[in-house]
Amino acid sequence: MTVLPAPRPSVISRLRAAGCVFAEEEAGLLVAAATGPDHLDALVERRVSGLPLEHILGWADFCGLRIAVDAGVFVPRRRTGFLVRQAARLLPPNGGLGHVPVVVDLCCGSGAVGTALAALAGPLELHAADIDPAAVRCAARNIVPLGGAVHEGDLYEPLPERLRGRVDILAVNAPYVPSAEIGTMPQEARLHEPRVSLDGGKDGLQVQRRVAAAAPQWLAPGGSLLIETSRRQASRTAELFIRNGLTARVASSTKLDATVVIGTAVRGSPL
């Protein structure tokens, strides 16, 4: 376990006054990242001004991993670790029957979900895709060293055609905040993360509809689609799955305030 330098009380006070809930922890991370007193003051000033801590550090702690996160890229949330663990449970044992599972991290952002899945349940044939060029560049830093591939484009459009009908796990953290509620989000998100990674349209389900509609074309028989959503939206997300020929169940974690809808392509059913 890494022991962080003791932060100056003044740093903690500045962060706490700015509304940072975990001021002591953040102060320790900033002190560890600083090359000297002036650099530390600059880092603290950036945090106090509202810049996400992860953008300042250049990485996020996600599922026990350091995920590279560039400025302007969606920061992986702790609750999304629940999506990773649910997906890992659905993967066959490593090397089972000689089959390397095919995993797609769709709307990948930094590629945190795919990276964590590979660490938890690899080896995998891992692909990730995002429409945001900055996210694609960032995801490549995390996923390419693992042997995975990152594709730029709208949802399934950039995926290699050879993946059609072969995907075992389709893990998706698509935007699901209703457009009218973006303004109520914390400043860190609404000012420093791309709107395309947050805005789910009028009812928050706009992107989920498109994901669910095309998923049966890409999933292998028995493959699974997992989408993070909110507790209040879960029943409607599940309806989207069923409408498109998938089974649907809702998994949730009260501790993490996390909700995931899981759908499975029925074995032997026509696409």
Side-chain angles (χ1 to χ4, degrees):
M1 180 177 178
T2 302
V3 179
L4 298 176
R8 300 199 308 252
S10 61
V11 172
I12 297 173
S13 298
R14 288 178 65 189
L15 294 174
R16 188 172 289 135
C20 298
V21 177
F22 303 104
E24 291 190 13
E25 179 181 339
E26 291 194 13
L29 291 169
L30 292 173
V31 168
T35 58
D38 290 343
H39 187 211
L40 175 60
D41 286 341
L43 295 180
V44 173
E45 183 57 37
R46 295 175 72 195
R47 182 66 181 119
V48 168
S49 71
L51 198 69
L53 176 68
E54 295 81 3
H55 288 169
I56 297 170
L57 298 175
W59 57 270
D61 183 353
F62 181 74
C63 293
L65 303 172
R66 280 196 177 191
I67 303 295
V69 181
D70 296 333
V73 173
F74 181 81
V75 176
R77 289 7 178 200
R78 181 168 174 263
R79 63 173 172 268
T80 305
F82 183 69
L83 170 66
V84 172
R85 289 190 289 276
Q86 293 298 310
R89 291 175 182 172
L90 295 171
L91 285 169
N94 292 349
L97 302 178
H99 172 64
V100 176
V102 177
V103 170
V104 173
D105 179 359
L106 205 60
C107 302
C108 69
S110 64
V113 169
T115 301
L117 262 175
L120 187 62
L124 309 170
E125 179 180 345
L126 177 60
H127 296 264
D130 202 288
I131 196 171
D132 179 14
V136 170
R137 290 192 297 271
C138 183
R141 294 172 56 200
N142 293 308
I143 286 177
V144 170
L146 303 175
V150 184
H151 313 279
E152 181 181 337
D154 185 25
L155 297 182
Y156 303 96
E157 181 271 330
L159 295 178
E161 186 64 24
R162 65 181 178 79
L163 295 183
R164 194 178 291 269
R166 292 186 53 234
V167 178
D168 296 295
I169 294 292
L170 184 56
V172 188
N173 187 12
Y176 56 88
V177 179
S179 300
E181 297 179 18
I182 297 293
T184 68
M185 296 186 71
Q187 175 178 305
E188 293 180 4
R190 58 185 168 82
L191 296 184
H192 298 286
E193 294 178 327
R195 189 174 179 110
V196 70
S197 70
L198 305 172
D199 194 340
K202 185 176 181 180
D203 62 356
L205 304 176
Q206 179 176 303
V207 183
Q208 291 186 7
R209 285 191 184 89
R210 297 176 57 215
V211 170
Q217 302 171 33
W218 293 90
L219 289 173
S224 296
L225 167 65
L226 300 92
I227 295 183
E228 179 176 301
T229 192
S230 68
R231 188 181 300 273
R232 65 174 179 169
Q233 293 167 313
S235 62
R236 287 180 292 164
T237 302
E239 288 173 6
L240 296 177
F241 282 39
I242 294 169
R243 192 180 306 157
N244 288 285
L246 303 173
T247 64
R249 63 183 176 88
V250 178
S252 61
S253 167
T254 302
K255 179 180 179 180
L256 295 175
D257 189 26
T259 302
V260 174
V261 177
I262 304 169
T264 301
V266 180
R267 293 181 184 276
S269 64
L271 292 179

